[in-house]
Amino acid sequence: MADSCKCINRAPAKVKSRELFMLFSLFVVQFLGFSFLLEGLIVIFRKNGLPLEKIGFVYLLGIFMVFKFLWAPFIDRVRLFKGVGHLKGWLVSIQFLLFGVLVLIGMCDVTEHITVIIALSMVVGFLAATHDVALDALVYRLVGESNRGVGNGIKIAGGMMGYMLGGGLALVLYGLLGWSGSFIFMCTLSVLAIGQLLFFKEGEHVSYGKEKIPYHRIILRFWSGRGKMRWLRLMTIYPMGVSLSYFLIGPIMVDVGWSVEKIGFIVNVLGAAVGAATAYICGRMINRLGRKRMLVVLAFMQSLCILMLLLPVFGYSGFWASLAIGSMLLIYAPSSTVLSTIMMDMCSEETPATDFAMQHSLTFLVGIISGIMGTILAGFFGYSLILISASLCSLAGVYLSVRFYSAADTSDETSAAGMMASESLNI
């Protein structure tokens, strides 16, 4: 394998501020239209009297994020344009396509062109997932090993802000400016991100040889390296606890007596803003404190924050309920930032898009399944049992985090993960 593909990573020791802002902008735009269609479109359709059986199709947008690893090898291997950076070519193409599809959706009548809007929304879902694959690979190439914490802090922060602007502000603008007005807002932000990308100069990172490895082997070999099963256990158990509990925030707050408007503002707007800030701060702290320490501390804090949700369940409202919700919103994004950073440590130089997409798809699926199952089981067994179980999952994350790094042959956390990635290439 090493003879068939020459890979070069020329990421600078320090990333330029304008490049970090470009990454942030691209993640914002990536989730902008996606979150509006996934969150806001459902509200708009329901308000216009669309039956639930049709509205349910909108949730299929998320399926592309689960299966994006299937076409990720294509992004790793195929260069769209000569004379343009490998990943820049993909990102510019997808950005223009996303812009065009959003324009088309904005031109539709939300009451008459329902089928067309849903079909175009599926296209947005596919393009957003593909954009995510290419953009994650660009983060890997651009920030380098020493800046991965910062790069992933930017990634999570941008996603949170895109969620807030698309699922929150764009929906507010819909009420003020109408359907077309909300899409003009989103398209304007897209143009600003595209402009930054066009002036970005990507370095030459990858040069492929004549021999090509079949796509299915690229996917399967990732899990063949030493320590990958330990990482698989950690990657699935670690986010399970916070996902089990996060999905219960809305129902718990409704039962406490909070209004829908208050819940929407706290979770979708204020929560996203807080998440963006804490993700960036966490990204800055990773290099100083280390991956292992951050994993252990955040898993322990997750366990405590989850238990705090028992306060509103047991009847404590007002300040205590707000404290419990605030604690969950504070801890959610940093945990994702650390996991995302380690996922990049596990990626190979040759196929970063595929390697990262596989890991992210798995954690995305675990989060969805955990959230759905937690909500269903809470209906049968009550909030308390599910929250205690979720807290125990986070404590299991503490144990698995310690074991993951303790089992490595080297004390260098980044090198330990990188060694596992490199061993996969030789299989």
Side-chain angles (χ1 to χ4, degrees), residues 174-333:
Y174 167 78
L176 297 174
L177 305 176
W179 177 258
S180 298
S182 60
F183 276 89
I184 290 174
F185 164 71
M186 290 187 285
C187 289
T188 301
L189 292 182
S190 296
V191 169
L192 296 177
I194 293 173
Q196 294 178 72
L197 186 59
L198 289 174
F199 287 101
F200 166 66
K201 183 174 178 59
E202 181 187 358
E204 290 298 324
H205 302 292
V206 182
S207 177
Y208 292 103
K210 295 180 179 179
E211 185 180 350
K212 297 293 181 70
I213 292 180
Y215 287 164
H216 70 279
R217 283 193 59 192
I218 294 176
I219 293 175
L220 294 176
R221 73 176 183 181
F222 177 82
W223 301 107
S224 303
R226 183 183 61 176
K228 288 299 178 63
M229 289 302 102
R230 291 196 305 272
W231 172 235
L232 178 62
R233 287 192 293 269
L234 174 59
M235 191 170 51
T236 52
I237 299 298
Y238 194 93
M240 193 176 292
V242 72
S243 298
L244 278 167
S245 52
Y246 194 84
F247 275 57
L248 295 178
I249 290 178
I252 289 173
M253 292 301 97
V254 169
D255 293 347
V256 168
W258 285 19
S259 67
V260 175
E261 292 79 9
K262 184 177 181 180
I263 295 172
F265 175 76
I266 294 295
V267 176
N268 294 338
V269 179
L270 185 60
V274 170
T278 54
Y280 179 74
I281 294 171
C282 175
R284 288 287 183 185
M285 293 174 62
I286 287 175
N287 279 353
R288 294 184 180 182
L289 299 181
R291 273 91 159 147
K292 178 181 175 180
R293 186 178 298 174
M294 291 291 289
L295 274 176
V296 171
V297 170
L298 287 173
F300 186 73
M301 290 178 64
Q302 276 184 22
S303 180
L304 295 179
C305 291
I306 290 170
L307 290 178
M308 289 185 67
L309 286 177
L310 291 172
L311 291 174
V313 171
F314 291 153
Y316 293 90
S317 57
F319 168 79
W320 295 108
S322 299
L323 179 63
I325 300 302
S327 299
M328 281 299 300
L329 296 176
L330 279 171
I331 202 65
Y332 183 78

